[in-house]
């Protein structure tokens, strides 16, 4: 079969490498793709991931048998709906279901209506009222979130009133996230380790994947601004089997049922961003898609043919499929351009790779381009250097040894990916 993957980052590269393992897949196309992905799939760089008519036309032109829509924006915009209307089989939720990520106000109200544990919150569409509320509450840090999509950067943890006022102004008045900031959610600050759980669901049953831990801040020691993610490890040692069972009963199943009751059946990968608080696991956020860079450490551990899973979800027969995972640990270290997540140069030549890869690890390309046959940087997050190991330490050692061999001007990576997980394993 011929598979088209929509998107062009490290997550899409990880999906494509896994799809390539399926004996039933003859051809993979990707739009827009990137320099590194072009070693594994035919890329269409002129078709952006949000160009719905362009993607439908491409699927028709190449006669795609299956289309996988990976990023949040086209899902929220309804790309799957349009592909389905044109007769294509797809992986990814419809717009009606993708709103679970597309609007934080929607997701908070959903959790409240169905008693799904999450941080207490209040919604504002007026900046003065938001500030007055924060001032009167006088509890810091305060958590301020833009309602809509914001490239994973729409959450501000304000340490004091000054920072909170600045955040509300940035989101609601300066509109740094555009229309995503017409409303804000102000919520209670929760504490505890974070766990990312990606789950396959066909709306009837839910099958959580192996867990992972993201490292969202730009700098070592969880300092610096929030990013799209600077590295991941799998499994997440904080996620015990007792917590898994509790999450299934109090979060995963109630969410799937709630979406069905709302007439918004979710089919695809539902991402639960959880915090294990002293009062039990709570939802920090939902994403309507595979996480990035969580996918890069989860999919290498998948043993089942991913196309079997995608087809079972499409035909709503997921409960009949047994999904198998390896016991290996996996680590992904992101190499970013110095300056990310703010401003950074592009077009810097990357050294140390042969055909985009390096032996002993898998290099998922997030922001690379091929220029005159050479790989150059084309984004903030550039590469996700990923290794499997018998345990987390082995996986991290392999990944970091490879990171040292790859270079470009002003390369930046965190040196403490997995450190907290290793400490948690050591302390039992
Ligand atoms: P989100 O984009 O919603 O995942 O938020 C980004 C990050 O902000 C999360 O991974 C958490 O580290 C942090 N965060 C979000 N909401 C809260 C909260 N209510 N309490 C504490 N930290 C939070
Ligand atoms: N790594 C977090 C996300 O994909 O939203």
């Amino acid at each position: 079969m011929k598979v088209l993957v929509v998107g062009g980052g490290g997550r899409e590269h990880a999906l494509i490498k896994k799809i390539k393992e399926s004996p039933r897949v003859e051809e993979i196309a990707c739009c827009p793709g990137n320099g590194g992905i072009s070693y594994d799939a035919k890329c269409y760089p002129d078709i952006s991931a949000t160009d719905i008519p362009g993607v439908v036309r491409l699927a028709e032109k190449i006669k795609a048998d299956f289309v996988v829509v990976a990023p949040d924006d086209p899902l929220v915009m309804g790309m799957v709906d349009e592909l389905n209307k044109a007769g294509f089989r797809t992986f990814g939720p419809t717009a009606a279901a993708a709103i679970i990520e597309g609007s934080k106000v929607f997701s908070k109200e959903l959790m409240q209506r169905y008693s799904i544990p999450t941080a207490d919150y209040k919604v504002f569409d007026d900046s003065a009222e938001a500030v007055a509320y924060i001032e009167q509450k006088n509890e810091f840090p305060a958590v301020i979130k833009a309602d809509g999509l914001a490239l994973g950067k729409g959450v501000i943890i304000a340490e004091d009133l000054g920072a909170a006022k600045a955040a509300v102004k940035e989101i609601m008045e300066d509109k740094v996230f555009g229309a995503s900031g017409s409303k804000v959610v102000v919520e209670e600050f929760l504490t505890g380790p974070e766990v990312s759980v990606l789950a396959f669901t066909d709306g009837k049953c839910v099958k959580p994947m192996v867990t992972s831990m993201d490292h969202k801040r730009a700098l070592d020691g969880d300092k610096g601004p929030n990013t799209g993610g600077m590295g991941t490890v799998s499994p997440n040692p904080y996620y015990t089997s007792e917590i898994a069972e509790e999450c299934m009963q109090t979060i995963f199943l109630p969410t799937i049922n709630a979406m069905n009751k709302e007439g918004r059946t979710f089919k695809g990968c539902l991402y639960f961003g959880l915090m294990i608080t002293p009062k039990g696991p709570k939802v920090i956020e939902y994403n309507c898609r595979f996480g990035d860079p969580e996918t890069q450490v989860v999919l290498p551990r998948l043993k089942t043919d991913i196309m079997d899973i995608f087809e079972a979800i499409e035909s709503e027969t997921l409960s009949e499929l047994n999904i198998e995972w390896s016991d290996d640990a996996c680590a992904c270290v992101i190499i970013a351009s110095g300056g990310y997540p703010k401003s950074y140069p592009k077009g810097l030549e990357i050294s140390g790779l042969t055909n985009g890869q390096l032996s002993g690890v898998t290099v998922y390309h997030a922001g690379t381009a091929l220029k005159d046959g050479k790989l150059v940087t084309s984004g903030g997050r550039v590469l996700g250097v990923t290794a499997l190991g018998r345990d987390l330490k082995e996986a991290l050692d392999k990944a970091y040894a490879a990171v040292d061999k790859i270079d470009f001007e002003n390369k930046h990576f965190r040196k403490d990916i997995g450190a907290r997980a290793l400490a948690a394993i050591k302390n039992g």
Side-chain angles (χ1 to χ4, degrees), residues 104 108 118-120 141-145 151-157 187-192 194 214 216-217 226-227 271 273-275 283-287:
K104 295 223 190 265
K108 293 299 287 191
T118 188
D120 288 337
V143 181
I144 299 157
K145 301 186 173 184
L151 295 168
K153 293 162 203 152
V155 175
I156 293 158
I157 314 279
E187 69 176 38
E188 169 200 11
F189 179 75
L190 299 176
T191 54
E194 287 183 55
D214 193 4
K216 287 201 165 118
R217 302 292 201 94
N226 256 321
T227 69
Y271 169 131
L274 307 174
M275 200 172 260
V283 177
I284 289 280
E285 64 163 347
Y286 291 114
N287 291 327

Side-chain angles (χ1 to χ4, degrees), residues 232-262:
T232 34
V233 295
S234 175
N236 186 319
Y238 292 103
Y239 197 74
T240 59
S241 52
E242 293 78 46
I243 292 175
E245 182 52 30
E246 187 177 351
C247 289
M248 180 57 89
Q249 298 310 327
T250 64
I251 297 174
F252 305 157
L253 289 170
T255 301
I256 301 305
N257 293 336
M259 290 299 276
N260 285 336
K261 285 203 189 110
E262 298 285 315

Side-chain angles (χ1 to χ4, degrees), residues 11 72 101 151-152 196 198 214-216 227-232 271 285-287 289-296 381:
R11 162 186 57 205
D72 47 3
E101 172 170 7
L151 295 168
S196 308
L198 316 183
D214 193 4
H215 298 70
K216 287 201 165 118
T227 69
M230 292 299 295
T232 34
Y271 169 131
E285 64 163 347
Y286 291 114
N287 291 327
R289 49 165 177 91
F290 281 99
D292 188 344
E294 285 86 345
T295 307
Q296 288 89 315
R381 288 190 292 179

Side-chain angles (χ1 to χ4, degrees), residues 391-406:
D391 57 25
L392 183 57
K393 170 128 191 356
E394 187 181 290
L396 283 163
D397 287 347
K398 279 201 223 165
Y400 273 114
V403 166
D404 282 339
K405 295 185 187 143
I406 302 169

